[in-house]
Amino acid sequence: MKLLDLVKNCKRIGITGHSNPDGDCAGSCCASALYLRKRLPDAQVDVYLETLPQELEKNIPGADTILHTVPEDEARYDAFILLDSVPGRTGDAEKLYQEAALTINIDHHISNPGSGDVNYIDAAASSASELVYNVIDHDAIDKEIAQALYVGMVTDTGVFQYSSTGESTMCAAGHLMSYGFDFTAVIREVFFERTALQARILGEAFVRSELSMNGKCIFSILDKALLDRYGATRQDLDGISAQLALTKGVDCAVFLHEDEPGIWRSSMRSVKIVNVAALAARFHGGGHIRAAGCTITSDIGEAVKLLKSDIESQLLDAGAL
C-alpha cells in the first residue's frame, strides 16, 4: 500500500486519531499531513486532534496546524485517514471519517479489525508511525516529517524497549535520525521529563499501589478526590502504568484513575505473560497484548476483582504461580 496512490486525485483530505492523543497518534497524524501537503500542494489537508501535551506540541513538527474543533457544517472530505485508532475513539471527527468518500484506517492495535474502505492493520508493528513510514515514499521525507515519525516511534516503543520493537523499527528509526534533528532532546523531553506535579502523582500511585500474586501483579487506584486535590488532569497521568510495570518481579501492572464520578479509566501493561488486551476487552476496551486500556463504568470493586481473577488465571496457565 502506498498512501499517495490512494489520495492523489483528492482535493480535500482529513486526518484524525484517538482522543487524548499520545506521541504516536499525534506524530503519525502530523507526519502524514506534512507528507501529503508536500506531495499534493494544491490539496487541503486537515488534521483533527484534541489538544496535545506541551512536550508533544513542542517536539512534533506540524502540531501548530492541528484543528481542535470540528465545524458543524464542515463539507464532505474526498478522503479521511484514521490513524492509531478505531471509530468510537475519535471524538467529534468521527462524523467526518464516516461521511468521507474514501476512508483509510492505519493502525497497529491487535483489537482493530479495520474500519476503512482501505485498511492497513499490522499488530506486529511497533507503532502507527512505523506504518506511516512504510506507506510514504522515502524521497519525500525531510527533517520535519522524520522528527514527527521519530517522536511516534520513541513514545510507543518506550524508547525501543518494548517487545513490539523489531529490526524494521530500528532500521526506520536509524534512517529518520539521519535527517539531523536533535533526537536526544526529543527522547528526553517527550519520554523522560516530568513536571513536578506529574512526579507527585506518580509518587502517589506508587504509595497507594498493591502487590499481589507473589509480586507478579501490581495495582494502583487513584480516585477523583485525590486528583482534584492536586489539580491533576488526564495528561498528568500518562506513563504511570509503564512505570509501575518496571517494579522488580512484576509481570502485569494495572493503573486505574477516576476520570469523572463513577467513570474509571484503566491503563495496563505487561512484561512477558499476561495478555492485557484480553483484560481490556472485558470492558469493551482494547490495545496490544502488552499495553491496553479501557473505561470502566461498573462497580470498581467488582471490576478489580474480575481483573485480578483474569490475571491470576493467565499466570497460573503459564505456570508462573
Side-chain angles (χ1 to χ4, degrees):
M1 171 182 162
K2 289 298 178 184
L3 185 58
L4 187 61
D5 291 342
L6 296 172
V7 301
K8 60 186 177 183
N9 296 319
C10 297
K11 298 300 182 183
R12 300 184 72 248
I13 303 168
I15 301 171
T16 194
H18 56 75
S19 58
N20 192 29
D22 57 12
D24 185 33
C25 175
S28 60
C29 286
C30 288
S32 298
L34 290 168
Y35 166 74
L36 292 173
R37 289 167 187 156
K38 187 174 186 177
R39 281 296 193 234
L40 302 171
D42 294 328
Q44 175 185 338
V45 181
D46 299 325
V47 178
Y48 295 92
L49 289 174
E50 294 176 357
T51 303
L52 303 183
Q54 184 178 4
E55 63 273 15
L56 297 182
E57 183 85 30
K58 174 184 176 182
N59 282 285
I60 297 178
D64 58 333
T65 68
I66 291 173
L67 303 172
H68 300 304
T69 58
V70 178
E72 291 186 6
D73 58 348
E74 185 63 74
R76 187 185 191 208
Y77 281 89
D78 299 318
F80 211 98
I81 305 166
L82 174 58
L83 289 156
D84 199 35
S85 189
V86 294
R89 296 190 62 212
T90 60
D92 293 339
E94 171 83 16
K95 63 178 182 180
L96 303 180
Y97 176 70
Q98 298 292 359
E99 294 171 359
L102 172 68
T103 55
I104 302 168
N105 191 191
I106 300 174
D107 193 14
H108 67 126
H109 290 91
I110 194 170
S111 54
N112 186 356
S115 64
D117 298 314
V118 179
N119 299 295
Y120 179 26
I121 313 296
D122 184 355
S126 69
S127 56
S129 294
E130 183 178 345
L131 297 180
V132 170
Y133 175 85
N134 292 344
V135 300
I136 64 176
D137 46 309
H138 292 176
D139 60 351
I141 296 177
D142 54 29
K143 183 177 179 180
E144 290 193 332
I145 294 171
Q147 181 168 332
L149 291 175
Y150 189 80
V151 168
M153 290 185 191
V154 163
T155 52
D156 244 33
T157 62
V159 194
F160 311 112
Q161 67 174 304
Y162 299 155
S163 59
S164 60
T165 305
E167 180 181 355
S168 62
T169 314
M170 302 307 292
C171 288
H175 178 217
L176 297 174
M177 289 165 62
S178 71
Y179 286 87
F181 58 89
D182 189 346
F183 57 86
T184 58
V186 165
I187 290 174
R188 182 180 67 253
E189 293 175 9
V190 305
F191 193 80
F192 288 111
E193 283 188 354
R194 283 185 173 81
T195 65
L197 174 58
Q198 289 168 340
R200 291 187 182 102
I201 296 297
L202 178 61
E204 288 281 6
F206 271 103
V207 167
R208 295 165 185 267
S209 67
E210 175 189 290
L211 282 167
S212 59
M213 303 171 211
N214 295 333
K216 289 183 171 59
C217 178
I218 186 169
F219 264 75
S220 182
I221 304 173
L222 301 184
D223 62 25
K224 193 172 188 303
L226 182 142
L227 297 175
D228 286 349
R229 189 161 73 245
Y230 278 100
T233 67
R234 195 188 302 181
Q235 292 177 351
D236 295 314
L237 310 176
D238 288 346
I240 289 179
S241 60
Q243 289 296 311
L244 291 169
L246 292 174
T247 304
K248 187 173 182 178
V250 162
D251 182 78
C252 182
V254 177
F255 173 61
L256 291 149
H257 76 273
E258 191 175 20
D259 194 39
E260 296 294 338
I263 299 175
W264 297 81
R265 299 193 184 275
S266 175
S267 175
M268 297 176 274
R269 296 291 186 273
S270 71
V271 181
K272 290 182 179 180
I273 300 172
V274 176
N275 178 347
V276 293
L279 300 180
R282 283 276 201 170
F283 300 93
H284 309 291
H288 309 289
I289 292 174
R290 300 286 170 250
C294 60
T295 299
I296 298 171
T297 55
S298 57
D299 179 80
I300 191 61
E302 292 302 314
V304 168
K305 288 180 183 178
L306 179 60
L307 288 170
K308 286 185 175 181
S309 177
D310 280 4
I311 293 167
E312 186 174 32
S313 293
Q314 290 193 43
L315 291 172
L316 285 168
D317 288 344
L321 284 181

